[in-house]
């Protein structure tokens, strides 16, 4: 059975339903969903990892980097639309206390400031947990910022729809399983990893970036995250275009292994948008094979042609 960051009605749940209609188990936090995978309670879990407006989802990035090793096997993209939902009978003017997920609030701040200037916003849980809380007549919250699906599911009424400050927002979710051989290479893949510097020194990040640049590997996300050891100590969470089975990616990873203290491999998996990377001349698998056979001949015969 699959798990997901729940409860029912989260964006994560909708993303899961877009790829699987099998029965799935909700977990109240990202950490609980990922721990259930580690414990073997579910075969894999879907969690949010990145939003086009808010950037990386720290709860997911940090758990994957530091917790017992797991592997991303698939990604799912979902456009996210928010509405303001309240118990039936509530009007917009009544709304004083709003509950939602921090990422959801960060994507609707301008609308809230313009339309509910007197409301206090509490951040926590998930958008669907906020809707479930508001549905309870004893709740101290008047309204939730959530998806229409969650508003309907928990019997709330829409006070406003389409309230996102950026209408084109998309969230990226990843399906995470226990460690195993990498998923099949499709030619339009992504690899996620975390690189820990050997020690802090000028150009340390440049050395990490060079491993990708030299091999013609494009990055689609890089962010520094605290290692949570001492102040000022960071690691780099990276999404790179390509698969572990691509020669250029394999060489970049070997290069990272040489210059880094630790490289955490979090999976190579098919891109949800199926966009193939543009591989520069000299960086294809065929180029690598030709170079390897040239070297073999050179070593065996001393001939360089
Ligand atoms: O709370 C939810 O519904 C989630 O699935 C989490 C989450 C997130 O972590 O970014 C997903 C999409 C939205 O951007 C807001 C919240």
């Amino acid at each position: 059975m699959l798990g997901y960051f729940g409860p029912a009605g989260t964006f994560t749940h909708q993303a899961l339903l877009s790829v699987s209609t099998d029965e799935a188990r909700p977990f109240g936090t990202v950490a609980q969903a990922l721990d259930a995978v580690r414990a073997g309670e579910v075969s894999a879990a879907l969690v949010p990892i990145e939003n086009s407006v808010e950037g990386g989802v720290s709860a997911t990035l940090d758990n994957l980097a530091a917790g017992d090793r797991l592997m991303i096997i698939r990604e799912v993209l979902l456009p996210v639309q928010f509405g303001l939902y309240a118990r039936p009978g509530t009007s917009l003017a009544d709304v004083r206390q709003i509950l939602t997920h921090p990422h959801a609030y960060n994507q609707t701040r301008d609308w809230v400031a313009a339309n509910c200037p007197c409301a206090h916003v509490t951040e926590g849980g998930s958008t669907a947990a906020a809707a479930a809380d508001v549905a309870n007549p004893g709740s101290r919250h008047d309204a939730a910022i959530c998806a229409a699906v969650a508003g309907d599911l928990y019997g709330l009424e829409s006070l406003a729809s389409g309230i996102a400050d950026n209408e084109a927002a998309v969230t990226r979710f990843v399906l995470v399983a226990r460690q195993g051989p990498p998923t099949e290479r499709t030619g339009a893949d992504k690899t996620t990893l975390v690189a820990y510097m050997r020690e802090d020194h000028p150009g340390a990040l440049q050395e990490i970036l060079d491993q990708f640049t030299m091999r013609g590997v494009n990055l689609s996300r890089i962010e520094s995250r605290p290692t949570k050891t001492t102040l000022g100590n960071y690691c780099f969470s990276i999404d790179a275009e390509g698969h572990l089975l691509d020669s250029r990616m394999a060489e970049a990873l070997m290069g990272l292994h040489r210059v880094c203290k630790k490289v955490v491999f979090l999976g190579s998996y098919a891109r949800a948008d199926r966009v193939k990377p543009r591989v520069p001349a000299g960086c294809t698998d065929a180029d690598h094979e030709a170079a390897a056979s040239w070297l073999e001949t050179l070593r065996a015969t001393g001939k360089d042609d």
Side-chain angles (χ1 to χ4, degrees), residues 29-39 45 47 59-60 63-64 70 176:
T29 65
V30 166
Q32 284 166 2
L34 295 178
D35 280 346
V37 179
R38 293 186 177 102
V47 291
T60 300
N63 188 298
L64 289 177
L70 292 170
V176 181

Side-chain angles (χ1 to χ4, degrees), residues 8-257:
T10 55
F11 287 101
T12 314
H13 188 205
Q14 289 178 60
L16 182 64
L17 289 174
S18 73
V19 293
S20 162
T21 48
D22 293 350
E23 202 197 334
R25 190 171 150 196
F27 292 90
T29 65
V30 166
Q32 284 166 2
L34 295 178
D35 280 346
V37 179
R38 293 186 177 102
E41 290 166 29
V42 290
S43 58
L46 194 73
V47 291
I49 192 165
E50 182 185 6
N51 173 266
S52 61
V53 177
E54 269 303 292
V57 178
S58 313
T60 300
L61 295 173
D62 293 354
N63 188 298
L64 289 177
D68 286 348
R69 202 60 49 78
L70 292 170
M71 227 174 77
I72 300 171
I73 55 170
R74 177 170 193 171
E75 74 172 1
V76 182
L77 301 177
L78 184 82
V80 287
Q81 310 267 346
F82 300 96
L84 186 70
Y85 288 83
R87 286 181 293 281
T90 312
S91 74
L92 194 55
D94 299 331
V95 175
R96 292 280 175 275
Q97 296 287 343
I98 298 176
L99 181 62
T100 194
H101 184 278
H103 264 216
Y105 181 39
N106 284 337
Q107 292 176 72
T108 52
R109 263 176 202 282
D110 294 350
W111 186 90
V112 172
N115 295 280
C116 310
C118 303
H120 175 263
V121 180
T122 306
E123 302 173 34
S126 66
T127 53
D133 178 296
V134 169
N136 181 346
S139 171
R140 64 182 196 84
H141 301 106
D142 309 310
I145 295 171
C146 60
V149 172
D152 294 346
L153 190 66
Y154 296 100
L156 302 179
E157 266 178 11
S158 170
L159 295 181
S161 58
I163 67 171
D165 300 329
N166 180 330
E167 283 174 15
V170 174
T171 297
R172 178 175 156 236
F173 301 84
V174 285
L175 188 62
V176 181
R178 280 185 295 281
Q179 252 179 333
T183 57
E184 211 182 312
R185 173 163 62 153
T186 68
D189 308 286
K190 211 179 259 183
T191 294
T192 299
L193 59 99
V194 186
Y196 291 79
M197 291 178 287
R198 217 181 268 291
E199 81 250 343
D200 195 12
H201 62 277
L205 173 58
Q206 188 63 54
E207 279 171 20
I208 291 174
L209 294 177
D210 284 346
Q211 306 311 317
F212 296 103
T213 314
M214 284 190 300
R215 278 102 191 180
V217 176
N218 190 39
L219 304 186
S220 57
R221 182 185 60 84
I222 175 162
E223 51 199 304
S224 53
R225 291 293 309 153
T227 58
K228 307 186 201 307
T229 49
T230 52
L231 189 66
N233 206 333
Y234 286 84
C235 57
F236 297 100
S237 174
I238 295 171
D239 289 333
E241 291 179 4
H243 195 284
L244 177 62
L245 297 176
D246 293 331
S247 301
R248 64 186 189 287
M249 182 65 78
E251 294 224 338
L253 289 174
M254 286 196 290
L256 283 181
H257 191 263

